[in-house]
Every structure is written in structure tokens, then in C-alpha cells.
Amino acid sequence: MSYQVVLLPTAFQEIETSYRWICDNLSAEVANNWYYQLQDAIASLKKFPHRCSIAPEAPVIGRKIRQLWVGKRIKYRVLFVVEEDVVAILHVRHSRQSFLGEESE
């Protein structure tokens, strides 16, 4: 089965913000490499998205949110849900960011 991958506006904005930060603080080359690696990882969700683990914040949020880890030096979590034949990318967060639901605590 092949899934349709949809990037929600919040995730798109987070990718754009991270790309600009990497570009400004590291280099354009590092930012481009990160972006292409992220795109490849997201595209891989078209097949077997259930291979990814359930995110730690899933019980708090009350949804079966999965996570895909991307990167070695710069690690990000792609948070998504699978609904029928659609993979919806909710967030793309740096590994040092708090879990969803912890921001206000």
C-alpha cells in the first residue's frame, strides 16, 4: 500500500524556521543537506509509516502520534498521524525541544 503524505502548515513553518536557523548559524551547505535529508525521510513515509514508534506525547495528546527520527548530527523528530491512506505531518521539531504539551508547563 502506498500512502499520501501531507505536510500541514505548522510543520511547513517549522521546517522553514529550522532551515533559516541552520543557514544563519551554521552554513547554507549544512542547511541544504539537512533539508534534503529531511525530505527523503518524509518521502519514505509513503511506504510503511507504521514502522515508526509512537511518540512519547501521544498519551497526553490523546492521539496515536508517531515519530520519525531524522539526522545524526542535527536530530529532528517528524511527528505524524496515519489516517487510512494518508500520513499527515503535524510537526518537525528539534530533539532539544520539549515534547508537545510541555511548552506551557
Side-chain angles (χ1 to χ4, degrees):
M1 175 178 199
S2 184
Y3 293 83
Q4 176 187 4
V5 177
V6 177
L7 192 66
L8 298 183
T10 304
F12 179 83
Q13 182 61 47
E14 291 166 344
I15 291 169
E16 187 175 283
T17 300
S18 295
Y19 178 86
R20 278 186 273 149
W21 187 92
I22 295 168
C23 201
D24 291 345
N25 292 280
L26 299 174
S27 73
E29 181 181 1
V30 171
N32 287 334
N33 289 340
W34 171 80
Y35 178 78
Y36 293 126
Q37 183 180 23
L38 179 67
Q39 291 304 313
D40 289 345
I42 289 173
S44 77
L45 294 173
K46 290 179 181 178
K47 295 188 182 254
F48 308 117
H50 294 284
R51 77 183 189 276
C52 299
S53 63
I54 301 295
E57 53 265 69
V60 175
I61 301 297
R63 291 181 76 187
K64 199 171 186 178
I65 299 173
R66 295 183 175 276
Q67 63 183 359
L68 171 65
W69 287 95
V70 179
K72 292 180 183 173
R73 187 172 149 233
I74 304 172
K75 289 191 114 169
Y76 278 77
R77 289 188 314 141
V78 176
L79 300 172
F80 64 95
V81 292
V82 180
E83 296 174 347
E84 296 182 21
D85 65 343
V86 176
V87 173
I89 309 298
L90 306 173
H91 294 281
V92 177
R93 299 173 62 85
H94 190 277
S95 61
R96 291 188 179 171
Q97 286 180 278
S98 59
F99 291 146
L100 294 176
E102 292 181 351
E103 288 89 0
S104 59
E105 295 179 18

